[in-house]
Amino acid sequence: MQLQWVGHATALVDVAGRRILTDPLLTRRVAHLRRRRPLPSPHVAEVDTVLLSHAHLDHLHLPSLRKMHPNTQFVTPVGTGRLLRRAGFDDVTEVSVGDRVELGGSLVTVEVVPAAHKHGRGPHSRVTAPPVGYVISGENRRVYFPGDTDLFDEMEQLTDIDVAMLPIWGWGSSLGTGHLDPTRAATATGLIHPGIVVPIHWGTYAPEDGRRLPSWFEDPPEQFERALADAGLSQFLHLLHPGESVSIA
């Protein structure tokens, strides 16, 4: 199993011959935000399956999704399928917590798990969808992708996780409800006890305001490392920067 963190909440998982992409965000600009890392290779969009965690614009981003082949398979929360079909995609499976989706002739299984986050798409949309997370299982390896979430009661029931991709920040100076910060992400690490934890959802996009990058853009991994150390969990950390990969042997 190979995992590449592309940036923000986007990760590419190669397992059992399947290429799976999470919450694709592949453009230089997203509304008022600008990508402050190099754009990923176009090859990143050549995937079999896309997993979408919730309806927010920086996670279900139609300009990025249009970079995918029309035959790409989409797994997405109930309430968002219409957006994808209107964008020209036919292979769309809407899911709820507790569902299981088999990929590649059952070589890979995707389990749909809870997430604690807002349900809406944004202030100018009536689309609502319960957020979800996913556990990808294949080749005797399990990867947890939560999308955006805060701590939730069922988190300690996520067992035998080899890689937990935990969000630790966002794209602004503060976090609203429904997000993990470095301290809560360390708590989540203790609940899940994965083989390794890869912090995501930090250091990729920032507002376009002409000033130098603020401290919240680069500092979250150091804060997360300190929080893990305080909890006696330093051994779990595997830090990646956007574009970097790790092989799960």
Side-chain angles (χ1 to χ4, degrees), residues 30-85:
V30 180
H32 66 295
L33 306 176
R34 180 164 65 88
R35 189 179 180 99
R36 305 303 181 96
R37 305 285 188 177
L39 283 172
S41 163
H43 180 61
V44 166
E46 298 171 5
V47 298
D48 302 294
T49 303
V50 170
L51 304 181
L52 299 173
S53 64
H54 62 289
H56 281 166
L57 293 172
D58 59 326
H59 291 256
L60 198 166
H61 185 241
L62 292 175
S64 293
L65 298 185
R66 292 190 180 102
K67 296 178 180 292
M68 312 295 151
H69 191 278
N71 292 334
T72 301
Q73 177 187 22
F74 284 84
V75 179
T76 191
V78 168
T80 57
R82 184 179 179 185
L83 287 172
L84 299 173
R85 295 184 183 98

Side-chain angles (χ1 to χ4, degrees), residues 18-238:
R18 304 286 298 186
R19 286 170 57 85
I20 302 166
L21 195 63
T22 66
D23 288 357
L25 197 60
L26 307 175
T27 57
R28 192 173 303 280
R29 299 187 65 86
V30 180
H32 66 295
L33 306 176
R34 180 164 65 88
R35 189 179 180 99
R36 305 303 181 96
R37 305 285 188 177
L39 283 172
S41 163
H43 180 61
V44 166
E46 298 171 5
V47 298
D48 302 294
T49 303
V50 170
L51 304 181
L52 299 173
S53 64
H54 62 289
H56 281 166
L57 293 172
D58 59 326
H59 291 256
L60 198 166
H61 185 241
L62 292 175
S64 293
L65 298 185
R66 292 190 180 102
K67 296 178 180 292
M68 312 295 151
H69 191 278
N71 292 334
T72 301
Q73 177 187 22
F74 284 84
V75 179
T76 191
V78 168
T80 57
R82 184 179 179 185
L83 287 172
L84 299 173
R85 295 184 183 98
R86 290 176 62 183
F89 299 104
D90 297 322
D91 191 351
V92 177
T93 301
E94 293 188 79
V95 294
S96 301
V97 171
D99 289 345
R100 295 169 64 93
V101 181
E102 293 186 347
L103 313 178
S106 77
L107 292 175
V108 181
T109 300
V110 174
E111 305 167 45
V112 186
V113 298
H117 195 60
K118 294 180 179 179
H119 289 212
R121 180 156 173 79
H124 304 296
S125 173
R126 295 182 180 180
V127 173
T128 61
V132 299
Y134 297 101
V135 176
I136 305 165
S137 301
E139 296 184 334
N140 297 316
R141 297 290 178 265
R142 286 163 57 82
V143 173
Y144 171 47
F145 169 69
D148 272 349
T149 190
D150 206 333
L151 298 168
F152 54 87
D153 292 339
E154 299 89 342
M155 189 170 279
E156 62 183 348
Q157 298 174 18
L158 300 172
T159 58
D160 299 322
I161 302 296
D162 293 284
V163 183
M165 296 187 286
L166 295 184
I168 61 170
W169 201 253
W171 47 259
S173 59
S174 62
L175 293 170
T177 58
H179 293 88
L180 293 176
D181 61 13
T183 301
R184 292 199 295 276
T187 300
T189 304
L191 293 173
I192 299 168
H193 275 271
I196 61 172
V197 58
V198 175
I200 64 171
H201 210 269
W202 65 273
T204 311
Y205 287 87
E208 177 71 274
D209 57 12
R211 296 178 296 179
R212 70 178 188 176
L213 287 172
S215 61
W216 57 258
F217 188 83
E218 296 283 3
D219 289 352
E222 296 180 7
Q223 297 169 4
F224 182 46
E225 185 174 11
R226 288 196 298 269
L228 288 174
D230 291 344
L233 301 170
S234 297
Q235 71 272 22
F236 294 110
L237 179 62
H238 192 103

